[in-house]
mmCIF file with all atom_site columns, all heavy atoms in Angstrom:
data_model
loop_
_atom_site.group_PDB
_atom_site.id
_atom_site.type_symbol
_atom_site.label_atom_id
_atom_site.label_alt_id
_atom_site.label_comp_id
_atom_site.label_asym_id
_atom_site.label_entity_id
_atom_site.label_seq_id
_atom_site.pdbx_PDB_ins_code
_atom_site.Cartn_x
_atom_site.Cartn_y
_atom_site.Cartn_z
_atom_site.occupancy
_atom_site.B_iso_or_equiv
_atom_site.pdbx_formal_charge
_atom_site.auth_seq_id
_atom_site.auth_comp_id
_atom_site.auth_asym_id
_atom_site.auth_atom_id
_atom_site.pdbx_PDB_model_num
ATOM 1   N N   . ALA A 1 9  ? -160.466 -122.721 -112.475 1.00 96.00 ? 38 ALA A N   1
ATOM 2   C CA  . ALA A 1 9  ? -161.704 -123.498 -112.444 1.00 96.00 ? 38 ALA A CA  1
ATOM 3   C C   . ALA A 1 9  ? -161.747 -124.601 -113.494 1.00 96.00 ? 38 ALA A C   1
ATOM 4   O O   . ALA A 1 9  ? -162.470 -125.582 -113.336 1.00 96.00 ? 38 ALA A O   1
ATOM 5   C CB  . ALA A 1 9  ? -162.900 -122.563 -112.639 1.00 96.00 ? 38 ALA A CB  1
ATOM 6   N N   . THR A 1 10 ? -160.971 -124.456 -114.567 1.00 96.00 ? 39 THR A N   1
ATOM 7   C CA  . THR A 1 10 ? -161.054 -125.412 -115.673 1.00 96.00 ? 39 THR A CA  1
ATOM 8   C C   . THR A 1 10 ? -159.802 -126.260 -115.870 1.00 96.00 ? 39 THR A C   1
ATOM 9   O O   . THR A 1 10 ? -159.844 -127.250 -116.600 1.00 96.00 ? 39 THR A O   1
ATOM 10  C CB  . THR A 1 10 ? -161.334 -124.679 -116.996 1.00 96.00 ? 39 THR A CB  1
ATOM 11  O OG1 . THR A 1 10 ? -160.251 -123.786 -117.283 1.00 96.00 ? 39 THR A OG1 1
ATOM 12  C CG2 . THR A 1 10 ? -162.650 -123.923 -116.944 1.00 96.00 ? 39 THR A CG2 1
ATOM 13  N N   . GLY A 1 11 ? -158.685 -125.846 -115.274 1.00 95.00 ? 40 GLY A N   1
ATOM 14  C CA  . GLY A 1 11 ? -157.438 -126.560 -115.500 1.00 95.00 ? 40 GLY A CA  1
ATOM 15  C C   . GLY A 1 11 ? -156.767 -126.193 -116.812 1.00 95.00 ? 40 GLY A C   1
ATOM 16  O O   . GLY A 1 11 ? -155.820 -126.837 -117.244 1.00 95.00 ? 40 GLY A O   1
ATOM 17  N N   . VAL A 1 12 ? -157.250 -125.157 -117.461 1.00 96.00 ? 41 VAL A N   1
ATOM 18  C CA  . VAL A 1 12 ? -156.669 -124.657 -118.704 1.00 96.00 ? 41 VAL A CA  1
ATOM 19  C C   . VAL A 1 12 ? -155.896 -123.390 -118.352 1.00 96.00 ? 41 VAL A C   1
ATOM 20  O O   . VAL A 1 12 ? -156.448 -122.487 -117.725 1.00 96.00 ? 41 VAL A O   1
ATOM 21  C CB  . VAL A 1 12 ? -157.761 -124.324 -119.751 1.00 96.00 ? 41 VAL A CB  1
ATOM 22  C CG1 . VAL A 1 12 ? -157.145 -123.788 -121.031 1.00 96.00 ? 41 VAL A CG1 1
ATOM 23  C CG2 . VAL A 1 12 ? -158.623 -125.545 -120.041 1.00 96.00 ? 41 VAL A CG2 1
ATOM 24  N N   . THR A 1 13 ? -154.631 -123.317 -118.715 1.00 97.00 ? 42 THR A N   1
ATOM 25  C CA  . THR A 1 13 ? -153.837 -122.146 -118.351 1.00 97.00 ? 42 THR A CA  1
ATOM 26  C C   . THR A 1 13 ? -154.361 -120.885 -119.038 1.00 97.00 ? 42 THR A C   1
ATOM 27  O O   . THR A 1 13 ? -154.986 -120.949 -120.098 1.00 97.00 ? 42 THR A O   1
ATOM 28  C CB  . THR A 1 13 ? -152.357 -122.325 -118.737 1.00 97.00 ? 42 THR A CB  1
ATOM 29  O OG1 . THR A 1 13 ? -152.256 -122.381 -120.170 1.00 97.00 ? 42 THR A OG1 1
ATOM 30  C CG2 . THR A 1 13 ? -151.756 -123.570 -118.106 1.00 97.00 ? 42 THR A CG2 1
ATOM 31  N N   . ALA A 1 14 ? -154.090 -119.751 -118.420 1.00 97.00 ? 43 ALA A N   1
ATOM 32  C CA  . ALA A 1 14 ? -154.498 -118.473 -119.001 1.00 97.00 ? 43 ALA A CA  1
ATOM 33  C C   . ALA A 1 14 ? -153.874 -118.289 -120.385 1.00 97.00 ? 43 ALA A C   1
ATOM 34  O O   . ALA A 1 14 ? -154.524 -117.801 -121.315 1.00 97.00 ? 43 ALA A O   1
ATOM 35  C CB  . ALA A 1 14 ? -154.111 -117.323 -118.077 1.00 97.00 ? 43 ALA A CB  1
ATOM 36  N N   . LYS A 1 15 ? -152.632 -118.694 -120.519 1.00 97.00 ? 44 LYS A N   1
ATOM 37  C CA  . LYS A 1 15 ? -151.952 -118.580 -121.811 1.00 97.00 ? 44 LYS A CA  1
ATOM 38  C C   . LYS A 1 15 ? -152.676 -119.399 -122.876 1.00 97.00 ? 44 LYS A C   1
ATOM 39  O O   . LYS A 1 15 ? -152.874 -118.949 -124.006 1.00 97.00 ? 44 LYS A O   1
ATOM 40  C CB  . LYS A 1 15 ? -150.506 -119.041 -121.662 1.00 97.00 ? 44 LYS A CB  1
ATOM 41  C CG  . LYS A 1 15 ? -149.680 -118.913 -122.919 1.00 97.00 ? 44 LYS A CG  1
ATOM 42  C CD  . LYS A 1 15 ? -148.235 -119.325 -122.668 1.00 97.00 ? 44 LYS A CD  1
ATOM 43  C CE  . LYS A 1 15 ? -147.403 -119.196 -123.933 1.00 97.00 ? 44 LYS A CE  1
ATOM 44  N NZ  . LYS A 1 15 ? -145.998 -119.546 -123.683 1.00 97.00 ? 44 LYS A NZ  1
ATOM 45  N N   . ARG A 1 16 ? -153.097 -120.607 -122.516 1.00 97.00 ? 45 ARG A N   1
ATOM 46  C CA  . ARG A 1 16 ? -153.789 -121.466 -123.469 1.00 97.00 ? 45 ARG A CA  1
ATOM 47  C C   . ARG A 1 16 ? -155.180 -120.913 -123.794 1.00 97.00 ? 45 ARG A C   1
ATOM 48  O O   . ARG A 1 16 ? -155.637 -120.995 -124.931 1.00 97.00 ? 45 ARG A O   1
ATOM 49  C CB  . ARG A 1 16 ? -153.883 -122.892 -122.946 1.00 97.00 ? 45 ARG A CB  1
ATOM 50  C CG  . ARG A 1 16 ? -154.390 -123.843 -124.013 1.00 97.00 ? 45 ARG A CG  1
ATOM 51  C CD  . ARG A 1 16 ? -154.101 -125.285 -123.709 1.00 97.00 ? 45 ARG A CD  1
ATOM 52  N NE  . ARG A 1 16 ? -152.708 -125.633 -123.715 1.00 97.00 ? 45 ARG A NE  1
ATOM 53  C CZ  . ARG A 1 16 ? -152.013 -125.981 -124.799 1.00 97.00 ? 45 ARG A CZ  1
ATOM 54  N NH1 . ARG A 1 16 ? -152.589 -125.977 -125.975 1.00 97.00 ? 45 ARG A NH1 1
ATOM 55  N NH2 . ARG A 1 16 ? -150.760 -126.333 -124.696 1.00 97.00 ? 45 ARG A NH2 1
ATOM 56  N N   . ILE A 1 17 ? -155.836 -120.328 -122.810 1.00 97.00 ? 46 ILE A N   1
ATOM 57  C CA  . ILE A 1 17 ? -157.141 -119.713 -123.070 1.00 97.00 ? 46 ILE A CA  1
ATOM 58  C C   . ILE A 1 17 ? -156.987 -118.595 -124.099 1.00 97.00 ? 46 ILE A C   1
ATOM 59  O O   . ILE A 1 17 ? -157.766 -118.505 -125.054 1.00 97.00 ? 46 ILE A O   1
ATOM 60  C CB  . ILE A 1 17 ? -157.773 -119.177 -121.762 1.00 97.00 ? 46 ILE A CB  1
ATOM 61  C CG1 . ILE A 1 17 ? -158.147 -120.348 -120.841 1.00 97.00 ? 46 ILE A CG1 1
ATOM 62  C CG2 . ILE A 1 17 ? -158.996 -118.316 -122.068 1.00 97.00 ? 46 ILE A CG2 1
ATOM 63  C CD1 . ILE A 1 17 ? -158.563 -119.923 -119.434 1.00 97.00 ? 46 ILE A CD1 1
ATOM 64  N N   . ARG A 1 18 ? -155.963 -117.764 -123.934 1.00 96.00 ? 47 ARG A N   1
ATOM 65  C CA  . ARG A 1 18 ? -155.710 -116.698 -124.908 1.00 96.00 ? 47 ARG A CA  1
ATOM 66  C C   . ARG A 1 18 ? -155.437 -117.293 -126.291 1.00 96.00 ? 47 ARG A C   1
ATOM 67  O O   . ARG A 1 18 ? -155.893 -116.767 -127.306 1.00 96.00 ? 47 ARG A O   1
ATOM 68  C CB  . ARG A 1 18 ? -154.540 -115.826 -124.463 1.00 96.00 ? 47 ARG A CB  1
ATOM 69  C CG  . ARG A 1 18 ? -154.853 -114.895 -123.323 1.00 96.00 ? 47 ARG A CG  1
ATOM 70  C CD  . ARG A 1 18 ? -153.673 -113.933 -123.091 1.00 96.00 ? 47 ARG A CD  1
ATOM 71  N NE  . ARG A 1 18 ? -153.540 -113.531 -121.727 1.00 96.00 ? 47 ARG A NE  1
ATOM 72  C CZ  . ARG A 1 18 ? -152.961 -114.217 -120.745 1.00 96.00 ? 47 ARG A CZ  1
ATOM 73  N NH1 . ARG A 1 18 ? -152.437 -115.393 -120.968 1.00 96.00 ? 47 ARG A NH1 1
ATOM 74  N NH2 . ARG A 1 18 ? -152.900 -113.726 -119.527 1.00 96.00 ? 47 ARG A NH2 1
ATOM 75  N N   . TYR A 1 19 ? -154.673 -118.388 -126.316 1.00 96.00 ? 48 TYR A N   1
ATOM 76  C CA  . TYR A 1 19 ? -154.371 -119.061 -127.581 1.00 96.00 ? 48 TYR A CA  1
ATOM 77  C C   . TYR A 1 19 ? -155.658 -119.573 -128.234 1.00 96.00 ? 48 TYR A C   1
ATOM 78  O O   . TYR A 1 19 ? -155.854 -119.409 -129.441 1.00 96.00 ? 48 TYR A O   1
ATOM 79  C CB  . TYR A 1 19 ? -153.387 -120.211 -127.332 1.00 96.00 ? 48 TYR A CB  1
ATOM 80  C CG  . TYR A 1 19 ? -153.146 -121.087 -128.528 1.00 96.00 ? 48 TYR A CG  1
ATOM 81  C CD1 . TYR A 1 19 ? -152.453 -120.610 -129.640 1.00 96.00 ? 48 TYR A CD1 1
ATOM 82  C CD2 . TYR A 1 19 ? -153.612 -122.403 -128.561 1.00 96.00 ? 48 TYR A CD2 1
ATOM 83  C CE1 . TYR A 1 19 ? -152.234 -121.412 -130.749 1.00 96.00 ? 48 TYR A CE1 1
ATOM 84  C CE2 . TYR A 1 19 ? -153.394 -123.212 -129.663 1.00 96.00 ? 48 TYR A CE2 1
ATOM 85  C CZ  . TYR A 1 19 ? -152.705 -122.710 -130.755 1.00 96.00 ? 48 TYR A CZ  1
ATOM 86  O OH  . TYR A 1 19 ? -152.506 -123.513 -131.852 1.00 96.00 ? 48 TYR A OH  1
ATOM 87  N N   . TYR A 1 20 ? -156.519 -120.188 -127.454 1.00 96.00 ? 49 TYR A N   1
ATOM 88  C CA  . TYR A 1 20 ? -157.795 -120.684 -128.002 1.00 96.00 ? 49 TYR A CA  1
ATOM 89  C C   . TYR A 1 20 ? -158.611 -119.545 -128.604 1.00 96.00 ? 49 TYR A C   1
ATOM 90  O O   . TYR A 1 20 ? -159.245 -119.721 -129.641 1.00 96.00 ? 49 TYR A O   1
ATOM 91  C CB  . TYR A 1 20 ? -158.614 -121.383 -126.925 1.00 96.00 ? 49 TYR A CB  1
ATOM 92  C CG  . TYR A 1 20 ? -158.058 -122.693 -126.425 1.00 96.00 ? 49 TYR A CG  1
ATOM 93  C CD1 . TYR A 1 20 ? -158.501 -123.229 -125.223 1.00 96.00 ? 49 TYR A CD1 1
ATOM 94  C CD2 . TYR A 1 20 ? -157.099 -123.410 -127.135 1.00 96.00 ? 49 TYR A CD2 1
ATOM 95  C CE1 . TYR A 1 20 ? -158.012 -124.437 -124.742 1.00 96.00 ? 49 TYR A CE1 1
ATOM 96  C CE2 . TYR A 1 20 ? -156.598 -124.609 -126.658 1.00 96.00 ? 49 TYR A CE2 1
ATOM 97  C CZ  . TYR A 1 20 ? -157.059 -125.112 -125.458 1.00 96.00 ? 49 TYR A CZ  1
ATOM 98  O OH  . TYR A 1 20 ? -156.576 -126.302 -124.991 1.00 96.00 ? 49 TYR A OH  1
ATOM 99  N N   . GLU A 1 21 ? -158.590 -118.399 -127.946 1.00 95.00 ? 50 GLU A N   1
ATOM 100 C CA  . GLU A 1 21 ? -159.267 -117.226 -128.515 1.00 95.00 ? 50 GLU A CA  1
ATOM 101 C C   . GLU A 1 21 ? -158.607 -116.813 -129.821 1.00 95.00 ? 50 GLU A C   1
ATOM 102 O O   . GLU A 1 21 ? -159.282 -116.534 -130.809 1.00 95.00 ? 50 GLU A O   1
ATOM 103 C CB  . GLU A 1 21 ? -159.227 -116.047 -127.539 1.00 95.00 ? 50 GLU A CB  1
ATOM 104 C CG  . GLU A 1 21 ? -160.171 -116.151 -126.386 1.00 95.00 ? 50 GLU A CG  1
ATOM 105 C CD  . GLU A 1 21 ? -160.126 -114.915 -125.499 1.00 95.00 ? 50 GLU A CD  1
ATOM 106 O OE1 . GLU A 1 21 ? -159.159 -114.112 -125.599 1.00 95.00 ? 50 GLU A OE1 1
ATOM 107 O OE2 . GLU A 1 21 ? -161.044 -114.747 -124.688 1.00 95.00 ? 50 GLU A OE2 1
ATOM 108 N N   . GLN A 1 22 ? -157.280 -116.788 -129.826 1.00 95.00 ? 51 GLN A N   1
ATOM 109 C CA  . GLN A 1 22 ? -156.519 -116.330 -130.991 1.00 95.00 ? 51 GLN A CA  1
ATOM 110 C C   . GLN A 1 22 ? -156.786 -117.204 -132.216 1.00 95.00 ? 51 GLN A C   1
ATOM 111 O O   . GLN A 1 22 ? -156.911 -116.690 -133.331 1.00 95.00 ? 51 GLN A O   1
ATOM 112 C CB  . GLN A 1 22 ? -155.029 -116.339 -130.661 1.00 95.00 ? 51 GLN A CB  1
ATOM 113 C CG  . GLN A 1 22 ? -154.134 -115.889 -131.776 1.00 95.00 ? 51 GLN A CG  1
ATOM 114 C CD  . GLN A 1 22 ? -152.655 -116.013 -131.409 1.00 95.00 ? 51 GLN A CD  1
ATOM 115 O OE1 . GLN A 1 22 ? -152.290 -116.590 -130.392 1.00 95.00 ? 51 GLN A OE1 1
ATOM 116 N NE2 . GLN A 1 22 ? -151.805 -115.475 -132.258 1.00 95.00 ? 51 GLN A NE2 1
ATOM 117 N N   . ILE A 1 23 ? -156.882 -118.524 -132.031 1.00 94.00 ? 52 ILE A N   1
ATOM 118 C CA  . ILE A 1 23 ? -157.088 -119.417 -133.172 1.00 94.00 ? 52 ILE A CA  1
ATOM 119 C C   . ILE A 1 23 ? -158.565 -119.626 -133.494 1.00 94.00 ? 52 ILE A C   1
ATOM 120 O O   . ILE A 1 23 ? -158.897 -120.337 -134.435 1.00 94.00 ? 52 ILE A O   1
ATOM 121 C CB  . ILE A 1 23 ? -156.387 -120.784 -132.976 1.00 94.00 ? 52 ILE A CB  1
ATOM 122 C CG1 . ILE A 1 23 ? -156.998 -121.566 -131.814 1.00 94.00 ? 52 ILE A CG1 1
ATOM 123 C CG2 . ILE A 1 23 ? -154.883 -120.602 -132.835 1.00 94.00 ? 52 ILE A CG2 1
ATOM 124 C CD1 . ILE A 1 23 ? -156.500 -123.009 -131.711 1.00 94.00 ? 52 ILE A CD1 1
ATOM 125 N N   . GLY A 1 24 ? -159.437 -119.004 -132.710 1.00 93.00 ? 53 GLY A N   1
ATOM 126 C CA  . GLY A 1 24 ? -160.867 -119.095 -132.986 1.00 93.00 ? 53 GLY A CA  1
ATOM 127 C C   . GLY A 1 24 ? -161.539 -120.353 -132.459 1.00 93.00 ? 53 GLY A C   1
ATOM 128 O O   . GLY A 1 24 ? -162.669 -120.653 -132.848 1.00 93.00 ? 53 GLY A O   1
ATOM 129 N N   . LEU A 1 25 ? -160.856 -121.082 -131.595 1.00 94.00 ? 54 LEU A N   1
ATOM 130 C CA  . LEU A 1 25 ? -161.459 -122.281 -131.024 1.00 94.00 ? 54 LEU A CA  1
ATOM 131 C C   . LEU A 1 25 ? -162.584 -121.908 -130.061 1.00 94.00 ? 54 LEU A C   1
ATOM 132 O O   . LEU A 1 25 ? -163.595 -122.600 -129.984 1.00 94.00 ? 54 LEU A O   1
ATOM 133 C CB  . LEU A 1 25 ? -160.394 -123.119 -130.313 1.00 94.00 ? 54 LEU A CB  1
ATOM 134 C CG  . LEU A 1 25 ? -160.783 -124.536 -129.922 1.00 94.00 ? 54 LEU A CG  1
ATOM 135 C CD1 . LEU A 1 25 ? -161.155 -125.377 -131.141 1.00 94.00 ? 54 LEU A CD1 1
ATOM 136 C CD2 . LEU A 1 25 ? -159.642 -125.209 -129.169 1.00 94.00 ? 54 LEU A CD2 1
ATOM 137 N N   . ILE A 1 26 ? -162.390 -120.803 -129.356 1.00 95.00 ? 55 ILE A N   1
ATOM 138 C CA  . ILE A 1 26 ? -163.448 -120.273 -128.495 1.00 95.00 ? 55 ILE A CA  1
ATOM 139 C C   . ILE A 1 26 ? -163.710 -118.830 -128.892 1.00 95.00 ? 55 ILE A C   1
ATOM 140 O O   . ILE A 1 26 ? -162.850 -118.165 -129.460 1.00 95.00 ? 55 ILE A O   1
ATOM 141 C CB  . ILE A 1 26 ? -163.084 -120.354 -126.989 1.00 95.00 ? 55 ILE A CB  1
ATOM 142 C CG1 . ILE A 1 26 ? -161.838 -119.538 -126.669 1.00 95.00 ? 55 ILE A CG1 1
ATOM 143 C CG2 . ILE A 1 26 ? -162.935 -121.803 -126.542 1.00 95.00 ? 55 ILE A CG2 1
ATOM 144 C CD1 . ILE A 1 26 ? -161.509 -119.432 -125.185 1.00 95.00 ? 55 ILE A CD1 1
#
Side-chain angles (χ1 to χ4, degrees):
T39 62
V41 179
T42 66
K44 183 177 180 178
R45 189 162 294 274
I46 292 170
R47 286 188 211 81
Y48 172 69
Y49 291 162
E50 285 183 344
Q51 180 184 9
I52 65 171
L54 193 61
I55 61 173

